[in-house]
Amino acid sequence: QVQLVESGGGLVQPGGSLRLSCAASGSIFSINAMGWYRQAPGKQRELVAAITSGGSTNYVDSAKGRFTISRDNAKNTVYLQMNSLKPEDTAVYYCAADVQTTGRAWYWGQGTQVTVSS
């Protein structure tokens, strides 16, 4: 079984920063892509940023220049550094990982709330 545990969410003022972390644990052989998604109230879940095992990244347009995704393969951990936060970034943020165990599947974390408000 594989577990993803997120941390680092909270309340921040507009223009502030937060760093989210997501650690994967369990019977992991390897992890392919990892990503961060978010879901705001009344909206569909959207991909914010993703990173391959080789370090290639992609971002939703609204995150480009403000957010940075990174990973530590030795720790099976993915990070999302969020700068210049805006109220419209308010959402529950979920991490996801494409994990190879005895099979291959996507796993999700439980989500962490990010609220940007003055």
Side-chain angles (χ1 to χ4, degrees):
Q1 193 60 282
V2 174
Q3 297 82 39
L4 273 63
V5 178
E6 299 118 334
S7 60
L11 173 65
V12 63
Q13 292 186 342
S17 298
L18 283 175
R19 188 191 194 210
L20 305 183
S21 300
C22 173
S25 62
S27 302
I28 298 170
F29 179 73
S30 63
I31 300 179
N32 302 301
M34 303 183 82
W36 287 96
Y37 291 73
R38 67 186 177 189
Q39 188 166 19
K43 295 188 176 181
Q44 290 188 332
R45 189 174 298 189
E46 67 171 350
L47 175 65
V48 177
I51 185 168
T52 68
S53 57
S56 297
T57 59
N58 68 284
Y59 298 89
V60 66
D61 285 347
S62 60
K64 290 178 181 177
R66 300 188 299 125
F67 294 4
T68 302
I69 188 170
S70 61
R71 63 190 285 174
D72 184 333
N73 291 329
K75 295 181 179 180
N76 290 334
T77 299
V78 63
Y79 306 96
L80 186 67
Q81 177 67 44
M82 304 186 293
N83 300 326
S84 302
L85 282 160
K86 305 175 180 180
E88 51 264 43
D89 295 316
T90 295
V92 178
Y93 283 70
Y94 300 88
C95 71
D98 178 11
V99 180
Q100 184 74 48
T101 58
T102 55
R104 181 174 177 176
W106 279 88
Y107 292 86
W108 292 82
Q110 80 285 357
T112 185
Q113 177 70 46
V114 171
T115 302
V116 185
S117 175
S118 55

